[in-house]
Structures are given as structure tokens and as C-alpha cells.
Amino acid sequence: MSFFIEMLLKLFFLLSIIPFLLSEKLQKKYDMKINAQIEYTLFSGPKKVALVGEKFIEETSGMVVSRKNPSWIYVHNDSGGEPELYIIDTLGTYLGTLKIEGVNNRDWEDLAMGPGPIEGENYLYIGDIGDNFGRAEELIIYRIQEPDQLESEMSAKPEIIKLKYPDGPKDSETLLVDPISGDLFVLTKRESKNTLYKAAKDLLLDGNSVDLEKVLQLPITLSVGGDISADGSQVLIKNYWVIYYWTRKEGETLEETLSGKAVLLPYEPEPQGEAIAFEPEGETYFTLSEKKLRINPVLYRYDKTTDGD
């Protein structure tokens, strides 16, 4: 029995490093092809800000920068983690914990910031949208108002909004909330062309169960995170080795913007990089990986260049 357990542990270890090996191999194999297309005049980077060494921030999956205090970054772990948001600053220093009351972390995969029930207020949207085996009948969105001030230990009772795909369960890791329309979007992960689904703002009510609308297929696979700048004019979506970037024209819907051609931005491949976030003005984006192979994740920063203004 001990031999069997040992073999299982070895198999689990090998499976756990596949994303890291895949991203490294693909990045090297297609280095000339990908880097030839990357637009380096828009954002520079990467800049290594800091190692994030706290033991409780090990499987970072979602990240968003505060709108009330742009020096705060909210992050969370994925499946099986505590139902908590952790707050670090833009230098990577841990500041505090925000506990989400009365819920579980089934498979939290992304975090977004956007409008909500009270006009002019900012809300955090936690996406319990992961589903590795395609079995979940519903996705769950937890929504809380962004805190006014920072404390070392905080808690909040969330609104709970349930979502359902029109065409069966899917695995998703990217959640977007449009700051202009207030609509919510979920982007799937596993297909060769990931699919964008939408829930209209008016349906995002506490206790509601919403049927998602299928709106667009993107020429992207393995999408693991995304964000929209606070003014809605810039959009980021990433997979394990590429960051896609769109600029939005005035009057365009988000789906119209994403149907256009993306630009590839600079990215430092990470052991399992799933988290990405704009700072509110859209002048900087950050990335952060899960901890893999005993390597503490690095907070990377990419700044808009003068040529990109």
C-alpha cells in the first residue's frame, strides 16, 4: 500500500508541473514567432516588484487593484482555499485579510471590480467559476462593496448571484465586469476557441439566478484571467504564455471591442501565471503566479511607455 501511495504522490507531482513545463516549452519553441508580434512600444517590462512569500497566498488565481486606494491589490487563492481576499500593496507587502462570510471557496478563479447596486460605488466581484471536470450546474458570483478603509482583519457578507450556461457546464477562469455598461462577462478556458458569455447588469441582483447569453468566440485558448481599465477603454486577457490587449473605441460594446484584432503585450512567463490586473488609470498592469516547485510567486509590473500615450 505504501508503494501505491508513493506512486500516486509522484504522479500528482508530475501533473502539477505540466502548466509550468508547457508554458516554458511553448515560449521557447515559438519564441521568434510570438515575440515578432509583441508590441513593446505600448508597455515596458517586466519589472520584478517583489517576491510574495506569505504561506497563505500560494495559489493566486484572481487579482484586482483597488479603485479607492490604487496602492492596494486584492488577491485570492483558487479551489479549496479559504473564502478570503488578501490585500497586498503595489510593492508586494501583505496588508490585511477580508473574510467573505458564510460561503465556501469551491473554485474561485478570478476577481473583478465594477459598478453595482449603489451608483458611484465600486464593487468586488468574486468568480466561483472554475469547473475542471465540467460538472457544476451553476456558477456563483459573490459581490461586496469595496471597503472604505484598511484593517488587518475585515469581513463582509456578500450578495450571491448564480449563473448558468445555456449549453452545459464549462470550465472558466476569466471574469470581467464592464465599467461602462455594468454587464458581467465570463470567458471559458478549455476549448480551442474560448467562448464569451454575458449577464446583463439589470439581472445582477442578490439571490438571482441568471441564464448567461453566448455572445462571442475568441481565437484564444486556455484563458486564465483578464481585466478592464476603470474607464473601460482598455482590455486585457491572458493565458499561460501570452497577454492579449484591446483598445476600445467610444460607443463600442465590450463584445464589439473583443471581436477586433488584439495586440500582444510583453509578458514574463510564470510557473502558473493566472492573475492579471490594471491599475485604475490603465497606465500599469500587474501579474502574479501561483506558487509552484517551491518557487515563491513574483509580483511583476508593466508600465505604459511614452510612445504608447
Side-chain angles (χ1 to χ4, degrees), residues 113-139:
M113 182 83 72
I118 302 176
E119 188 174 352
E121 289 294 330
N122 299 303
Y123 288 79
L124 290 158
Y125 289 75
I126 304 165
D128 197 332
I129 58 176
D131 186 11
N132 290 331
F133 301 103
R135 296 173 181 170
E137 291 299 321
E138 293 180 312
L139 313 180

Side-chain angles (χ1 to χ4, degrees), residues 203-248:
L203 301 177
L204 302 176
L205 304 174
D206 186 21
N208 231 13
S209 183
V210 181
D211 290 328
L212 290 165
E213 174 190 356
K214 185 176 180 178
V215 294
L216 181 66
Q217 279 191 317
L218 296 176
I220 301 172
T221 190
L222 293 177
S223 300
V224 293
D227 199 16
I228 306 175
S229 60
D231 66 358
S233 67
Q234 302 176 83
V235 186
L236 296 171
I237 293 174
K238 77 178 297 295
N239 59 22
Y240 289 115
W241 55 90
V242 176
I243 293 176
Y244 299 88
Y245 172 75
W246 294 260
T247 55
R248 186 176 184 177

Side-chain angles (χ1 to χ4, degrees), residues 19 30 85 88 116 118 180 195-196 215 233-234 239 256 267 284 302 305:
Y30 297 108
L85 301 181
I88 61 175
I118 302 176
I180 297 175
T195 304
L196 188 70
V215 294
S233 67
Q234 302 176 83
N239 59 22
E256 287 172 338
Y267 177 54
T284 295
Y302 302 77
T305 66

Side-chain angles (χ1 to χ4, degrees), residues 18 25 101 103 144:
I18 286 175
K25 290 290 184 183
E101 297 177 358
V103 304
I144 62 170

